[in-house]
């Protein structure tokens, strides 16, 4: 076993997804093959296509203040879900130094309407405009989570477009190794709102139908919303408090394409480098990776570039690498996507369940990729990778593995995380 | 992690002092400017970056469709690399020294590309959400400046944008140094900055945070407050981007402005205890109070005084003693990202060598919910 002081483990997962709150809802929904995508016009009149939204977002009355944006509230619920098994009272002093790294691309934009652009001063004076605008900076999401839980460690927002929350997890792991905090909450949160729907619509990036990642007939992406938060700590610290280890973060890497402000590098150069670096950190060969949870947005450019990246990174494998895009279930949750997909990847490792891409009937041809489709495949999964990419050429790769033997091995039915 | 010292070997900036490579020339003192970029009911002033053509500073740079924050990041990063003596010209530069795949960009910002975000809202106000102009949307993302820096210089290492209330610059520097120490990059360009837009300025105004000097031609105070004096919580907003080049000390023969030794950055707790623990046996001779939110200036100075002994010079964020640098509150006008500008202003005054603590705070409450960042720097003897 590696040095437990330098081994980063996941000891909590909190999720708010269109399936509901918690990993159990996410797991049962996805394993049943249910798609949460529904016509956008039901919620956002005038917009065609499909979206997936979180129908119910309960919070205590005191939390229902205008100073919290919808992204804040999604994050707070996910964070509470992630730490619900903690003995906070028993470990108050230690946990007060917990850090929070939260990603968001929307943050408080959901609370602001176009009238602000024409006369900001009047908009601020109108009702709670001043407070609503105060939730605009992405750092507000991290502050909302940290303040809600009373965590006072390092705290910041991470912005790397759609790779943001995967990077938040990677950077949180760095900070743990630096000894900057005894434990880190890392994840992402993004709300659906007209701002992002309008933006992607203006770029003609939205599929008018439910998206079909990696299909030759794909037409674009669908937007979703949600939040996911992982609790990360060193194995040493987890063992000291007798915590259940849900997964080991075996490797992580971040790169940039340095190619174009919105388009990925056509050969997937940056993403391939990123996967290679993560495998090097994990001490894993390309044959060791049993499953890749893809970025797989369904846009024409992304999916081809990503396929090329897999062909480069996994060229030496003896068998094609199993890949699926779970954005086909509830859309692209932008800044939350990387963390949600990290949670799904951990679920896959724990359950030995390889989720298929929905609606994938005519996949991009590649001799190096085994596109998962049809039924859920069951097999032992020692290592799995989650990859993310975003506007601006950002890439991130995370490799999760099973805990090794011992007291902190998986306790499937006891974790309460719905990960049995 | 290998404990390595990280050197600051290059500085570039775009600020009310103008676009500059390296330190700020002595006796530079920008004056507040009247705001003309948007309609104001009467005189409104701020420290503004004078309009300039980025291509006149960095030949070939095309910035027409970019947010000013991205344009300034491109200029500041180019000037910082130039100042560090690093030529990233085509083809691959000095491969034995710099592999572009191992150069990171870390950008700290409070508001991101607010200008184009406002332009996108304006487009929605005029055309409706179904008819928005596509160009401001991706360029308005907070990570656009960092990604443009990577694109222009061809940098394929980690590319990260961070925001942290009051201490975004400090957070960016700590995380950039962490990338170097973990071997995830060989060199990092770390930037911090914000632009001043109409919505941001009017938000400050509506929140009652603007200094009276924003409304008339009166001068800002320049004297150093005595212990116990109240420090003004209002401020005059500013704008700009500062870029620093970070690399492991001793990796090549390069001048170092300062070495980053260690840092702490937290959202609360016991700051004095935490900082003293970080300092160990170190005794900084200078405490530079970086930005912090305007309403936190008082608590930053209070914290500095609590940490420091009687022989330690404290440079407050808003009111700079003339004997250290020309009196100027420009850096304090950047609530989340002024620390780098404050640092280079102090370095420009050629302080005596020794250790310096760069201190920033956020929030104004009790020590328990007062966030702070503390960076221990080693200054070379001038």
């Amino acid at each position: 076993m590696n040095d437990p002081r330098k081994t980063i483990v996941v000891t909590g997962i909190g999720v708010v997804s269109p399936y509901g709150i918690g990993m159990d809802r996410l797991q049962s929904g996805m394993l049943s093959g249910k798609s949460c995508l529904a016509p956008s016009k039901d919620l956002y009149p005038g917009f065609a296509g499909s979206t997936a939204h979180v129908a119910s977002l309960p919070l205590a009355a005191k939390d229902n203040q205008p100073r919290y944006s919808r992204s804040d509230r999604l994050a707070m619920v996910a964070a509470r879900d992630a730490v619900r098994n903690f003995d906070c009272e028993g470990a108050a002093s230690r946990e007060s130094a917990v850090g929070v790294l939260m990603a968001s691309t929307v943050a408080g934009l959901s609370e602001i309407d176009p009238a602000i652009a024409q006369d900001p001063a009047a908009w601020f004076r109108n009702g709670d405009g001043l407070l609503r605008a105060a939730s605009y900076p992405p750092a507000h999401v991290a502050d909302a989570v940290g303040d809600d839980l009373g965590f006072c460690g390092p705290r910041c927002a991470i912005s790397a477009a759609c790779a943001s929350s995967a990077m938040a997890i990677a950077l949180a792991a760095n900070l743990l190794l630096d000894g900057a905090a005894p434990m880190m909450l890392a994840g992402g949160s993004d709300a659906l709102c007209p701002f992002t729907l309008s933006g992607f619509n203006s770029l003609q990036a939205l599929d008018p139908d439910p998206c079909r990642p990696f299909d030759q007939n794909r037409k674009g992406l669908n937007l979703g919303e949600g939040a996911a938060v992982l609790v990360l700590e060193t194995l040493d610290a987890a063992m000291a408090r007798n915590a259940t280890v849900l997964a080991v973060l075996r490797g992580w890497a971040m790169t940039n394409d340095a190619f174009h402000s919105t388009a990925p590098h056509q050969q997937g150069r940056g993403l391939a480098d990123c996967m290679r670096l993560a495998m090097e950190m994990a001490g894993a060969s390309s044959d060791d990776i049993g499953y890749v949870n893809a970025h797989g947005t369904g846009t024409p450019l992304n999916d081809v570039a990503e396929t090329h990246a897999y062909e480069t990174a996994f060229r030496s494998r003896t068998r094609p690498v199993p890949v699926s895009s779970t954005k086909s279930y509830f859309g692209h949750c932008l800044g939350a996507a990387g963390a949600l997909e990290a949670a799904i990847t951990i679920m896959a490792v724990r359950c030995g369940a390889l989720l298929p891409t929905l609606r994938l009937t005519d996949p991009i041809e590649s001799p190096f990729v085994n596109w998962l489709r049809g039924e859920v495949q069951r097999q032992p999964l020692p290592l799995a990778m989650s990859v993310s990419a975003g506007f601006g050429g950002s890439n991130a790769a995370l490799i999760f593995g099973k805990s090794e033997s011992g007291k902190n091995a998986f306790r499937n039915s006891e974790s309460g995380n719905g990960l049995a | 992690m290998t404990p390595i010292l990280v050197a600051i070997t290059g500085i570039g900036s775009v600020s009310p002092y103008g676009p500059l490579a390296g330190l700020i020339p002595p006796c530079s003192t920008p004056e507040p400017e009247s705001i003309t970029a948007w309609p104001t009911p009467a005189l409104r002033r701020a420290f503004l970056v004078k309009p300039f053509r980025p291509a006149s500073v960095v030949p070939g740079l095309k910035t027409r469709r970019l947010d000013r924050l991205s344009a300034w990041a491109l200029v500041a990063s180019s000037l910082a690399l130039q100042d560090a003596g690093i030529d990233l010209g085509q083809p691959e530069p000095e491969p034995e020294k710099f592999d572009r795949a191992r150069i990171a960009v870390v950008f700290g910002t409070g508001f991101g590309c607010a200008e184009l975000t406002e332009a996108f809202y304006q487009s929605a106000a005029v055309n409706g959400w179904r008819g928005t102009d596509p160009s401001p949307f991706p360029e308005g993302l907070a990570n656009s400046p960092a990604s443009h820096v990577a694109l222009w210089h061809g940098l394929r290492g980690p590319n990260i944008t961070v925001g942290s209330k009051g201490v975004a610059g400090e957070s960016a520097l700590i995380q950039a140094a962490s990338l170097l120490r973990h071997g995830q990059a060989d060199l990092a360009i770390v930037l911090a900055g914000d632009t001043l837009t109409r919505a941001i300025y009017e938000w400050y105004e509506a929140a009652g945070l603007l200094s009276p000097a924003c409304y008339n031609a009166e001068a800002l105070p320049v004297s150093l407050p005595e212990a116990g004096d109240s420090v003004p919580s209002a401020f005059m907003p500013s704008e700009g981007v500062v870029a620093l080049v970070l690399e492991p000390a001793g990796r090549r023969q390069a001048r170092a402005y300062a070495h980053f030794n260690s840092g702490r950055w937290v959202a609360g707790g016991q700051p004095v205890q935490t900082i003293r623990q970080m300092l160990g046996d170190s005794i900084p001779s200078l405490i530079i109070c970086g930005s912090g939110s305007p309403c936190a200036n008082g608590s930053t100075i209070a914290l500095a005084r609590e940490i420091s002994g009687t022989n330690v010079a404290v440079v407050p964020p808003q009111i700079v003693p003339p004997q250290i640098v020309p009196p100027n509150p420009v850096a304090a006008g950047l609530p989340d990202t002024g620390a780098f500008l404050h640092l280079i202003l102090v370095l420009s005054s050629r302080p005596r060598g020794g250790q310096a603590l760069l201190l920033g705070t956020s929030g104004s409450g009790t020590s328990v919910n007062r966030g702070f960042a503390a960076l221990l720097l080693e200054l070379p003897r001038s």
Side-chain angles (χ1 to χ4, degrees):
Chain A
M1 179 182 280
N2 293 328
D3 185 344
R5 292 167 302 176
K6 295 178 180 173
T7 302
I8 305 299
V9 297
V10 180
T11 55
I13 304 175
V15 166
V16 182
S17 74
Y19 292 106
I21 298 167
M23 279 300 290
D24 51 350
R25 296 275 180 88
L26 183 76
Q27 178 172 322
S28 61
M30 295 188 79
L31 288 176
S32 72
K34 178 189 170 191
S35 168
C36 296
L37 293 165
S40 305
K41 60 182 171 56
D42 296 349
L43 275 176
Y44 301 99
F47 284 105
S50 299
T51 50
H53 80 286
V54 174
S56 172
L57 190 58
L59 272 182
K62 72 180 178 67
D63 298 320
N64 195 20
Q65 303 292 326
R67 71 189 179 96
Y68 292 126
S69 69
R70 184 167 174 83
S71 298
D72 290 339
R73 293 191 293 129
L74 287 163
M76 290 157 74
V77 174
R80 287 183 188 184
D81 185 44
V83 303
R84 72 186 186 285
N85 292 329
F86 280 12
D87 175 12
C88 289
E89 210 168 297
S93 61
R94 178 176 177 273
E95 286 167 9
S96 67
V98 172
V100 178
L101 260 57
M102 287 298 294
S104 185
T105 62
V106 174
L109 288 174
S110 58
E111 315 307 305
I112 298 171
D113 56 63
I116 194 173
Q118 299 193 307
D119 188 347
W123 195 85
F124 295 139
R125 283 194 302 270
N126 185 14
D128 56 8
L130 200 60
L131 283 172
R132 286 162 65 190
S135 71
Y136 161 71
H140 203 271
V141 178
D143 285 334
V145 169
D147 290 347
D148 187 48
L149 298 174
F151 291 162
C152 297
R155 189 189 288 180
C156 81
I158 304 298
S159 298
C162 304
S164 297
S165 53
M167 282 198 191
I169 292 166
L171 291 165
N174 279 354
L175 289 172
L176 284 168
L177 294 179
D178 290 339
M183 180 186 288
M184 295 292 299
L185 264 57
S189 172
D190 258 338
L192 265 176
C193 68
F195 189 98
T196 43
L197 265 173
S198 174
F200 283 100
N201 181 66
S202 72
L203 295 173
Q204 301 180 320
L206 297 176
D207 190 329
D209 302 311
C211 63
R212 304 174 70 176
F214 299 117
D215 196 283
Q216 305 229 28
N217 298 309
R218 69 197 177 281
K219 293 174 185 162
L221 57 84
N222 301 141
L223 291 175
E225 67 175 356
V229 175
L230 304 190
V231 179
L232 301 171
E233 54 192 312
T234 63
L235 178 58
D236 195 36
M239 289 167 72
R241 68 182 188 92
N242 198 28
T244 300
V245 173
L246 302 174
V248 180
L249 178 57
R250 292 277 302 273
W252 59 93
M254 299 167 281
T255 62
N256 190 273
D257 286 356
F259 172 71
H260 188 269
S261 57
T262 54
H265 185 271
Q266 290 153 357
Q267 295 302 314
R269 178 184 64 184
L271 191 56
D273 284 347
C274 195
M275 290 189 274
R276 176 181 55 77
L277 289 168
M279 286 189 277
E280 280 177 15
M281 180 187 276
S285 74
S286 60
D287 273 313
D288 295 330
I289 304 298
Y291 166 64
V292 178
N293 187 295
H295 184 57
T297 57
T299 62
L301 285 179
N302 174 81
D303 291 7
V304 166
E306 194 172 338
T307 303
H308 289 316
Y310 295 134
E311 290 174 345
T312 304
F314 293 100
R315 185 170 291 272
S316 63
R317 273 178 71 98
T318 51
R319 289 183 300 169
V321 61
V323 176
S324 70
S325 168
T326 47
K327 288 184 175 72
S328 56
Y329 292 73
F330 51 87
H332 189 346
C333 297
L334 303 177
L340 279 161
E341 288 158 13
I344 293 166
T345 305
I346 293 169
M347 179 181 92
V349 168
R350 288 180 59 87
C351 300
L354 277 61
L355 292 157
T357 303
L358 302 180
R359 298 176 295 281
L360 178 57
T361 54
D362 189 9
I364 296 170
E365 290 178 12
S366 173
F368 299 98
V369 181
N370 168 16
W371 300 113
L372 299 169
R373 52 187 175 141
E375 299 297 313
V376 176
Q377 293 180 25
R378 300 276 182 176
Q379 64 181 64
L381 202 54
L383 285 181
M385 181 190 286
S386 176
V387 302
S388 301
F391 280 171
S394 300
N395 304 297
L398 306 170
I399 296 177
F400 294 98
K402 284 189 170 181
S403 170
E404 295 181 14
S405 60
K407 191 172 185 179
N408 289 279
F410 296 111
R411 299 185 305 200
N412 289 346
S413 60
E414 299 169 18
S415 72
N417 277 284
L419 290 165
Chain B
M1 183 180 71
T2 312
I4 57 166
L5 207 56
V6 172
I8 300 173
T9 57
I11 295 172
S13 60
V14 173
S15 76
Y17 295 89
L20 290 169
L23 298 173
I24 292 171
C27 304
S28 301
T29 310
E31 291 295 322
E33 309 250 0
S34 298
I35 289 170
T36 57
W38 60 84
T40 58
L43 177 68
R44 295 289 185 274
R45 300 195 306 162
F47 292 109
L48 301 173
V49 174
K50 287 189 174 64
F52 69 102
R53 210 165 58 84
S56 68
V57 182
V58 183
L61 204 52
K62 292 177 181 166
T63 57
R64 193 168 61 87
R65 289 176 176 272
L66 307 190
D67 193 285
R68 282 189 304 157
L69 195 64
S70 294
W72 295 347
L74 284 166
V75 173
S77 63
S78 300
L79 293 172
L81 286 167
Q82 174 193 318
D83 187 50
I86 296 170
D87 181 6
L88 291 177
Q90 300 289 344
E92 289 281 319
E94 303 179 74
E96 74 283 5
K97 284 185 180 173
F98 301 107
D99 175 356
R100 282 184 167 122
R102 294 191 50 78
I103 300 180
V105 180
V106 185
F107 186 76
T109 182
F111 302 107
C113 296
E115 195 171 61
L116 286 184
T117 301
E118 288 172 33
F120 192 74
Y121 274 120
Q122 180 68 29
S123 167
V126 173
N127 305 314
W129 282 123
R130 291 279 296 162
T132 47
D133 175 5
S135 61
F137 177 67
E139 289 299 337
L141 287 170
N143 68 318
S144 284
S147 61
H148 279 293
V149 170
L151 185 56
W152 174 251
H153 298 293
L155 310 179
R156 302 196 302 276
N159 192 279
I160 300 152
T161 297
V162 305
S164 189
K165 189 171 74 178
V167 292
E170 292 93 326
S171 164
L173 197 149
I174 287 172
Q175 297 199 61
S178 176
L179 293 172
L180 297 179
R181 288 171 171 163
H182 288 295
Q184 293 167 13
D186 292 336
L187 187 103
I189 302 174
V190 56
L191 307 100
D194 278 304
T195 51
L196 191 58
T197 65
R198 179 180 181 182
I200 292 171
Y201 192 91
E202 292 185 358
W203 190 90
Y204 288 141
E205 185 165 22
L209 292 172
L210 293 186
S211 161
C214 294
Y215 301 98
N216 54 54
E218 77 178 43
L220 285 156
V222 293
S223 62
L224 182 64
E226 298 297 325
D229 283 359
S230 66
V231 176
S233 60
F235 77 126
M236 180 173 284
S238 179
E239 59 182 1
V241 173
V242 173
L244 307 175
V245 174
L246 300 189
E247 54 187 302
R251 187 169 181 271
R252 65 186 176 108
Q253 293 291 324
R255 165 219 45 209
Y257 288 105
H259 291 96
F260 171 60
N261 183 316
S262 55
R264 290 286 184 278
W265 140 65
V266 296
Q270 301 299 327
V272 175
Q273 185 185 336
T274 306
I275 294 168
R276 284 194 175 142
Q277 189 180 25
M278 177 189 85
L279 291 175
D281 295 333
S282 301
I283 305 171
S285 55
L286 179 67
I287 298 183
I288 307 160
C289 298
S291 54
S293 63
C295 53
N297 288 344
S299 60
T300 310
I301 294 172
L303 178 58
R305 286 183 173 143
E306 212 173 331
I307 296 164
S308 65
T310 53
N311 294 324
V312 176
V314 174
V315 184
Q318 194 157 2
I319 305 163
V320 177
Q323 68 272 27
I324 296 181
V325 292
N328 209 306
V330 178
L334 287 159
D336 289 334
T337 54
F340 288 6
L341 187 54
H342 211 84
L343 173 64
I344 64 171
L345 279 165
V346 171
L347 292 174
S348 301
S349 73
R350 308 278 179 191
R352 287 183 297 124
Q355 292 180 317
L357 189 69
L358 180 64
L359 186 65
T361 59
S362 61
S364 57
T366 62
S367 62
V368 173
N369 59 13
R370 187 199 306 163
F372 69 92
L375 277 61
L376 182 61
L377 301 164
E378 312 276 348
L379 305 181
R381 306 232 167 249
S382 53

